[in-house]
Amino acid sequence: MQRTPPRLLIDRAISALLFAIMVSGAVRTSLIGPLQPSWRLRRPAGNAAGLSIWPLRYSRDPFPNDLVMFLESVERETPRRAKIALLVPEPWNHPEYAYALFRFRYLLAGHSLAFPPEPSADIFSEVDYVACWHPPVAPPSDLPLVFSGHDGVLLRGRR
Amino acid sequence: LTLLAIALLLIAGWPLCRALDPEARGVRVAGESLLFGSGATAMILFLLAAFGVPWSRPCVFSALGLVVVACAAFAARRTGPEHGRVEPTGSRAWIVVDIVSGTLVAAHLLFASLERPYEWDYFGIWGFKGHLFYVTRSIPWPILRDVDFAWIQRGHPLFAPLLYDVVAIVSGEWRDRDLGLLTTAFGLAVILIVRGLVAEESAQRWHRSLVTLAVTPAALSMWVGLAEGFLIGFATSGILLVRRGLLRDSPRSISAGAVLLGCAAMTKNEGTAFIISAAIAIVVSHRRSPVIPSRSEESGRGPQAEGHHPDPSLRLGMTLWRRLFCLWPAAAVVAPWIVARRLVHIQTDFLAGNLAQREEHLRNAAHIVHQIFATPVDDHVFWWAAVAAIAFHWRRAGGLERFLVAVLASQLAFDVLQNFLVPWDPDPHIQFSWNRILDQMAALTAFTASMLIVESFGHSANNMADMFLPPPSPAPARHGRADKSGGMAAALQATPR
C-alpha cells in the first residue's frame, strides 16, 4: 500500500482546519439565535459592533410596535396625498430619535406629513387629518373621530 | 402570500431559464429560475413605470405572461447539449452535512421573518421607495430628482424596491413583515446554483456537500430588507455562470451569467462594478482558463460521441474578444436604467460634488485605508480563514480559479475606491457601509476557498477516511484530460500556458 507523503498530510490537515474555521466563522450568532430556546433570547453574543447581537431586532430597535401598527392603520384609513399632522410624545417628536422622522415617512409614504411642536388651532385647520398617539396634550374635542386603536386616535382636520 | 409570490417568480422564471441557459440541469434550474423570474418581473414593473402605465395585477400578469410565452417558444427551439446524468458517488453519510446546510437555511428563514426589517437603510431607502412606488402604483420620477428627497439615495438602481412591489402587487397589500422571505429565497437560489455547478464538476458527494456548506452562511444575507441579499444572489450566480462558461467554453453560460450581472447592476451600483470585474477577470485569466470536458464527454456520452475531442489541450477555446462580447446582455439589462437616469436627470452620489472633494480624499488616502482596516467586520474569522485558504493554495488559485480570484481582487479594489469617490466625509461612510459591502463578496470568496480546499484532497476520496489516501495518479493528466472522477487539477496541469 502506497504511503501518503507527510507533506501532503500536513497540507490536508491545514486545509481541513481552515475549512472548519471558515464555516464556523461565517455562521452568525444572530442566525443561530432564532433556533435557541426562548429563555436564552435576552442573551447578547458576538461582535458588539455589528449584527451579531441577538436579538438585535428587539434589543436595539426602540420603536414601539403599537406605534407602527397605529401608523399602518392611519395609512389604511387616509387617502393618498392627504396632509397629516402627527402628535406624538417625547422622545418620538424628535426626528433624530430612533430615526423617528424616517420611520413616519416610510410608514405613511405617499402622504404629506407635519410635525407640530405643540397642538394649535392653526395646525388643525391646515391639515386633513390629525394622528395622535399618546399625545402630550389632548387634541380639541370638536374634531371628528375617524378611528381609534393601538393607543392612538385619528381625527379629521379642518382643512 | 409572499411565498405565493416567490413561487410565481420561480414558475415564471422557468421558461426564461430554459431560454437563457439551456445547459442548466438539476437543482440549478430552480435557483436560476427564481433569479431570472425576479429580474424579468422587476424589469416589467420598471418599463411599465417608464412608459407611464400604472401597475395593476392584470397589467403586470399580462406583460409577464407575454414574456413567459415568448421565452417558452424560444426555449423550445434552443436545446443545450445533452450532458447525461452524473450519478453521485461516495458515501451517503455526507447527507449529514447537507442537513446542517438545510438547518442554516431554516434558521435564516426564521431570522428573516421574525420581525419587520428595522435597518435605517430599509425604511430610509429601499423600503421607503418600495412602499412609495406601491402606493402610487408606479415610479414617481419627479421625487427621484427632488433634492428634498436626497436621503432616499435617488441615484441607486431600483430592482430591490421593485421586487418588494412585486410581492405587494401579488399579495394585494404592503406587508413588510414578510419581505425578509425574499432575502432567504435569493440566498437559497445561490446555494442551489452552487450545488448544481459543483455537481457538474465532481461526482463526489463529499465535494458537493462541503462546498454547499461553505457557501450557505455567506449566501444568506443578514441584512434583511436591504438590497444586499438581492445583489449577492444576482452577482454571485452571474459570476459563477461566467466561470462555468469559461471552463466549459460555453458562450451561452457566459451570456446567462451576464444577464444576472445586469440584474445585479440594476440592484446596486456595486453590481456595475461586478460587471467590470468580470470583464477584467476574463482578460486576466484568458490564457489560463482550461476547458473542462463535461462528464458525459469523459464517459463517452454526449458531444464526444458526436465527434468532439475531449482533450482540453486540443480544443480551441473562445477568443478573448468573443468571451468579452458574451457579456453584452449585462449592458442590455442595465441600459434602461441608464437611459431613464439621463432623461429624468437623476444624479448618482459618485458624480455629485466637485473635484476638490476627491482631491481632499486622495490627500487623506492613508487615513481612509487605515479606517477601512480599523472598521470591525462581523465575520472577521471567516474572512481571515478564507483569505488564508486562498493564499495557502495559491498555485491552484492562480491557475484554475484565476478568474474568481481576479474578480474578487478587482471587486475589492472597486469597493475601496468608492470610499475615495463619495462626495461626503468618507469616515462615516466606511463605518456604516464597509462591513456590509464586504458581505457582497462573501459567497464568492467562500466558493473559491472551499473549491480550492476540496480540490487539495483530490477527487478520489469517497469519505473522510479516503481523504488521507494518496492523490490520484497523474497519468490521465499526461493526456490533457480531467481525471475520471472529474478532477480539475489534472486538466489545469495539461492546459497550455
Side-chain angles (χ1 to χ4, degrees):
Chain A
M1 183 180 167
Q2 192 180 354
R3 288 187 62 188
T4 307
R7 169 82 188 269
L8 192 61
L9 272 177
I10 294 170
D11 279 2
R12 289 178 174 182
I14 292 173
S15 294
L17 184 67
L18 286 173
F19 184 87
I21 295 172
M22 189 175 74
V23 172
S24 57
V27 179
R28 305 277 181 85
T29 48
S30 40
L31 196 61
I32 302 297
L35 297 180
Q36 293 178 348
S38 57
W39 56 268
R40 292 191 65 181
L41 290 186
R42 292 290 166 192
R43 183 175 167 184
N47 178 11
L51 269 176
S52 298
I53 289 181
W54 206 94
L56 179 66
R57 292 172 187 209
Y58 300 127
S59 62
R60 273 203 181 172
D61 185 4
F63 210 79
N65 206 38
D66 258 359
L67 180 53
V68 174
M69 291 168 76
F70 169 68
L71 293 174
E72 282 180 340
S73 304
V74 170
E75 197 229 345
R76 279 194 295 271
E77 297 289 336
T78 52
R80 187 158 64 92
R81 296 200 180 110
K83 187 168 185 182
I84 303 171
L86 278 169
L87 294 181
V88 287
E90 294 270 356
W92 307 105
N93 53 359
H94 295 293
E96 297 84 9
Y97 186 74
Y99 303 119
L101 173 66
F102 298 103
R103 302 288 278 260
F104 295 143
R105 279 181 163 170
Y106 159 69
L107 289 162
L108 297 171
H111 294 76
S112 176
L113 301 184
F115 301 93
E118 288 178 5
S120 67
D122 287 349
I123 198 72
F124 296 131
S125 60
E126 290 170 5
V127 297
D128 301 308
Y129 295 91
V130 181
C132 311
W133 188 79
H134 294 292
V137 289
S141 55
D142 61 327
L143 295 178
L145 177 73
V146 179
F147 90 93
S148 65
H150 306 295
D151 291 341
V153 291
L154 178 68
L155 307 169
R156 194 174 297 279
R158 297 199 185 101
R159 192 167 89 152
Chain B
L1 284 171
T2 303
L3 289 175
L4 180 71
I6 293 170
L8 179 78
L9 295 175
L10 186 75
I11 295 166
W14 189 78
L16 275 80
C17 176
R18 306 311 304 170
L20 293 170
D21 189 8
E23 297 167 19
R25 295 288 183 275
V27 290
R28 192 149 69 86
V29 176
E32 288 184 29
S33 295
L34 178 67
L35 297 181
F36 284 129
S38 302
T41 317
M43 183 59 87
I44 285 170
L45 291 190
F46 181 85
L47 293 176
L48 286 175
F51 289 103
V53 181
W55 301 336
S56 63
R57 274 188 193 168
C59 183
V60 173
F61 287 168
S62 304
L64 186 61
L66 281 175
V67 172
V68 166
V69 169
C71 286
F74 183 64
R77 293 187 302 160
R78 194 185 196 205
T79 53
E82 188 55 54
H83 285 286
R85 183 175 160 76
V86 180
E87 288 300 329
T89 58
S91 170
R92 290 181 188 276
W94 286 99
I95 197 170
V96 174
V97 178
D98 294 333
I99 291 171
V100 174
S101 302
T103 308
L104 287 173
V105 175
H108 190 273
L109 194 70
L110 285 174
F111 175 80
S113 56
L114 259 183
E115 190 49 89
R116 63 189 82 225
Y118 59 92
E119 295 281 347
W120 183 87
D121 278 26
Y122 172 75
F123 52 72
I125 303 174
W126 311 108
F128 176 82
K129 282 182 189 168
H131 196 189
L132 182 67
F133 297 173
Y134 177 68
V135 169
T136 53
R137 296 295 195 276
S138 186
I139 298 172
W141 299 103
I143 282 182
L144 294 183
R145 61 166 178 253
D146 190 342
V147 289
D148 288 342
F149 284 88
W151 47 275
I152 64 169
Q153 307 285 350
R154 296 161 296 157
H156 280 16
L158 299 174
F159 260 25
L162 291 176
L163 284 169
Y164 293 148
D165 291 326
V166 170
V167 174
I169 288 169
V170 171
S171 57
E173 61 173 337
W174 181 264
R175 267 181 64 86
D176 51 9
R177 188 181 294 271
D178 298 335
L179 291 180
L181 296 178
L182 270 177
T183 309
T184 310
F186 268 66
L188 185 59
V190 174
I191 294 163
L192 293 177
I193 289 169
V194 165
R195 179 84 176 184
L197 289 173
V198 179
E200 277 186 12
E201 294 181 18
S202 172
Q204 300 294 334
R205 284 197 172 91
W206 70 269
H207 192 161
R208 302 173 180 191
S209 300
L210 288 184
V211 176
T212 306
L213 175 66
V215 171
T216 296
L220 297 165
S221 173
M222 303 302 287
W223 306 93
V224 175
L226 275 58
E228 258 62 28
F230 306 124
L231 180 69
I232 291 170
F234 285 131
T236 306
S237 309
I239 293 290
L240 291 181
L241 286 186
V242 172
R243 172 187 174 274
R244 181 192 182 275
L246 297 177
L247 289 175
R248 303 271 183 205
D249 203 36
S250 164
R252 287 172 172 178
S253 205
I254 297 177
S255 294
V259 171
L260 293 178
L261 288 177
C263 292
M266 288 290 281
T267 306
K268 283 202 85 179
N269 287 327
E270 287 88 346
T272 307
F274 268 108
I275 297 174
I276 301 169
S277 295
I280 291 171
I282 286 176
V283 174
V284 168
S285 65
H286 180 61
R287 287 191 179 277
R288 287 197 166 184
S289 291
V291 178
I292 305 292
S294 66
R295 294 193 58 76
S296 56
E297 286 177 290
E298 292 170 9
S299 58
R301 299 184 297 253
Q304 188 191 15
E306 296 161 13
H308 294 260
H309 201 289
D311 190 334
S313 65
L314 296 179
R315 285 179 62 179
L316 287 176
M318 285 181 279
T319 62
L320 175 62
W321 293 113
R322 175 125 194 254
R323 288 178 172 190
L324 289 173
F325 181 72
C326 287
L327 292 177
W328 72 265
V333 172
V334 81
W337 168 240
I338 294 172
V339 171
R341 213 166 57 185
R342 282 267 175 190
L343 292 176
V344 188
H345 305 292
I346 302 169
Q347 198 174 34
T348 57
D349 301 334
F350 297 111
L351 298 178
N354 53 46
L355 206 60
Q357 289 170 312
R358 275 68 175 192
E359 287 175 359
E360 178 73 21
H361 294 346
L362 279 178
R363 277 197 292 275
N364 295 329
H367 171 73
I368 290 176
V369 173
H370 174 262
Q371 281 293 101
I372 289 171
F373 279 101
T375 302
V377 178
D378 282 337
D379 39 8
H380 56 280
V381 175
F382 159 78
W383 281 106
W384 283 117
V387 171
I390 293 171
F392 188 67
H393 298 291
W394 62 274
R395 276 184 194 278
R396 260 188 293 266
L400 188 69
E401 300 299 352
R402 192 184 181 95
F403 170 73
L404 282 183
V405 173
V407 166
L408 292 172
S410 172
Q411 190 65 21
L412 183 66
F414 279 120
D415 289 344
V416 171
L417 183 67
Q418 69 159 299
N419 295 302
F420 290 88
L421 295 178
V422 289
W424 47 74
D425 183 4
D427 280 7
H429 182 76
I430 294 168
Q431 185 187 347
F432 292 117
S433 70
W434 183 248
N435 184 25
R436 177 165 42 82
I437 283 173
L438 269 187
D439 271 2
Q440 297 167 2
M441 297 188 293
L444 270 182
T445 310
F447 180 85
T448 310
S450 58
M451 286 295 280
L452 291 169
I453 287 172
V454 294
E455 277 284 330
S456 72
F457 284 98
H459 287 268
S460 63
N462 287 336
N463 50 46
M464 283 299 287
D466 288 344
M467 279 185 182
F468 295 93
L469 288 175
S473 164
R478 198 175 59 241
H479 303 293
R481 291 189 53 181
D483 58 277
K484 282 292 181 186
S485 51
M488 290 179 292
L492 174 64
Q493 289 165 11
T495 305
R497 305 288 168 89

